[in-house]
Amino acid sequence: MNFFTKLLNSFKGRPPTGSDRYLAVYVFSNRCREPVAGQIDLMNETSLDDESNGGYYVRKVLHTSGRDRCFGQVEIEVWLDANKRLVRQEVQGGRWLTAEEYAVEVANQQEKDSQDA
């Protein structure tokens, strides 16, 4: 690590690397009744939040898969603290899911698909 990188990191904190570079997000589309997974690149997709001191903001649109000819989108807004940890989220066109809730919804979707086949 060179001198300038060390100096910069001392002012900004440690940048996310490897597995902590991306924040996984999960939502459920109200229109298509489908779970949707996405990720936020914490190094490239964040903007400084004007309302908080040192926090970050991300607005992202996630698209459904188009299964059953339903093409929908879910808009998420995410606020992060200065260490890029999730503070608050808002969802338009769906609802926020935890990783566990997402896994349940995917299993339900697969079960429904197997019954329809």
Side-chain angles (χ1 to χ4, degrees):
M1 186 181 291
N2 66 29
F3 171 75
F4 292 109
T5 304
K6 287 181 183 179
L7 182 64
L8 201 87
N9 287 343
S10 68
F11 289 110
K12 294 179 14 179
R14 196 180 122 254
T17 59
S19 64
D20 61 346
R21 177 177 176 163
Y22 298 99
L23 173 66
V25 293
Y26 307 99
V27 296
F28 187 81
S29 169
N30 289 339
R31 180 171 184 252
C32 297
R33 311 299 302 159
E34 177 183 341
V36 181
Q39 64 184 14
I40 296 171
D41 184 339
L42 297 174
M43 294 199 57
N44 293 311
E45 294 180 331
T46 56
S47 301
L48 287 175
D49 183 14
D50 295 335
E51 298 175 5
S52 67
N53 293 334
Y56 297 90
Y57 169 80
V58 178
R59 178 190 167 275
K60 190 165 186 142
V61 178
L62 303 173
H63 298 272
T64 60
S65 67
R67 63 185 307 130
D68 300 326
R69 295 185 180 233
C70 183
F71 298 95
Q73 58 187 29
V74 180
E75 177 183 335
I76 61 171
E77 292 180 277
V78 176
W79 287 265
L80 307 164
D81 65 11
N83 294 319
K84 296 189 177 179
R85 289 184 302 238
L86 185 66
V87 174
R88 179 172 65 118
Q89 73 275 348
E90 290 182 13
V91 180
Q92 299 292 323
R95 64 182 165 90
W96 188 265
L97 297 175
T98 63
E100 294 80 18
E101 292 170 329
Y102 175 77
V104 169
E105 291 293 341
V106 167
N108 290 343
Q109 187 77 36
Q110 290 172 345
E111 182 180 324
K112 180 183 170 222
D113 289 347
S114 67
Q115 290 174 354
D116 291 342

